[in-house]
Amino acid sequence: GITSLVKPVQLPPDSWIALLAMFFFTMLLWPLARSRRTVGRLEGALLLLLYIAILGWTVFHQIQASVS
């Protein structure tokens, strides 16, 4: 954030998808953490699987974009 104050940083056109994913994970984690102040094994596994899915989708999307 501070770097972009000094010199604007160009974002890729499809970066809004990653921002939405980060927002989704934050909104998902917040009530889980507030309920018992811990994240259980099942919730942690769900968050990890969702993270792996979005990471895989991002890598796949970048590969497809570089091929085109």
Side-chain angles (χ1 to χ4, degrees), residues 35-67:
S35 63
R36 289 169 273 152
R37 302 238 184 241
T38 61
V39 175
R41 195 175 288 217
L42 183 61
E43 292 106 352
L46 175 67
L47 289 170
L48 182 62
L49 286 175
L50 287 172
Y51 176 71
I52 290 171
I54 193 68
L55 189 62
W57 183 85
T58 303
V59 168
F60 177 75
H61 185 70
Q62 290 296 324
I63 289 171
Q64 291 293 350
S66 67
V67 170

Side-chain angles (χ1 to χ4, degrees), residues 5-44:
L5 289 174
V6 176
K7 182 180 178 187
V9 178
Q10 291 291 338
L11 293 176
D14 58 349
S15 63
W16 61 273
I17 297 171
L19 291 173
L20 282 176
M22 287 187 282
F23 179 75
F24 173 74
F25 284 125
T26 301
M27 291 296 111
L28 187 63
L29 181 60
W30 188 49
L32 291 174
R34 298 249 326 148
S35 63
R36 289 169 273 152
R37 302 238 184 241
T38 61
V39 175
R41 195 175 288 217
L42 183 61
E43 292 106 352

